[in-house]
Amino acid sequence: MPDKMRCSHILLSWDEAINSTHSRELIFAIYDAKEIINDLIKGSIQWDTACREHSACNETWYRGGDLGWFEEHEITEEIWNACCITQIGDLCPEPIQSPYGIHIITRTG
């Protein structure tokens, strides 16, 4: 396991997430995330466009969702674990739930 990893994410907020920006219920955020993942896989939307149009992360949406390089203790456990099972350059096939919302993850390093 690497000491550091890097990824980009698209954050979909839901009504009970920390710093929520949306009133939708969790199940709808998960559904929306799966639809975006399918669109990314099919190539009907590009990552940067999906990030600009859908991400609720005010700190990363404008730079393609890039979370930068991080060590295990510097990121949520859920994102770290998703990166551990995703190869560099790949899209995590399932949405990831953290206390901040639903994440679509692509590992970049």
Side-chain angles (χ1 to χ4, degrees):
M1 184 171 333
D3 294 334
K4 287 189 169 198
M5 288 190 271
R6 186 175 193 160
C7 76
S8 293
H9 77 144
I10 297 170
L11 175 66
L12 300 178
S13 191
W14 59 286
D15 60 356
E16 294 184 25
I18 295 174
N19 301 323
S20 177
T21 62
H22 208 287
S23 61
R24 72 180 145 213
E25 295 176 20
L26 174 60
I27 193 159
F28 294 111
I30 293 170
Y31 176 83
D32 290 345
K34 287 183 178 188
E35 289 293 308
I36 295 166
I37 289 170
N38 286 335
D39 289 344
L40 288 164
I41 290 169
K42 289 187 305 189
S44 59
I45 193 169
Q46 296 301 310
W47 179 268
D48 286 342
T49 302
C51 194
R52 279 192 313 273
E53 292 179 0
H54 299 287
S55 188
C57 183
N58 291 329
E59 297 179 24
T60 65
W61 70 266
Y62 59 91
R63 62 176 190 256
D66 183 22
L67 291 170
W69 288 96
F70 49 82
E71 296 178 13
E72 184 173 4
H73 67 278
E74 297 174 320
I75 198 83
T76 68
E77 178 182 355
E78 297 87 358
I79 292 175
W80 180 263
N81 290 340
C83 286
C84 285
I85 62 169
T86 304
Q87 296 294 317
I88 295 171
D90 286 350
L91 177 68
C92 187
E94 292 294 323
I96 305 303
Q97 181 180 344
S98 82
Y100 299 93
I102 304 300
H103 306 263
I104 300 169
I105 302 287
T106 185
R107 185 163 168 209
T108 57

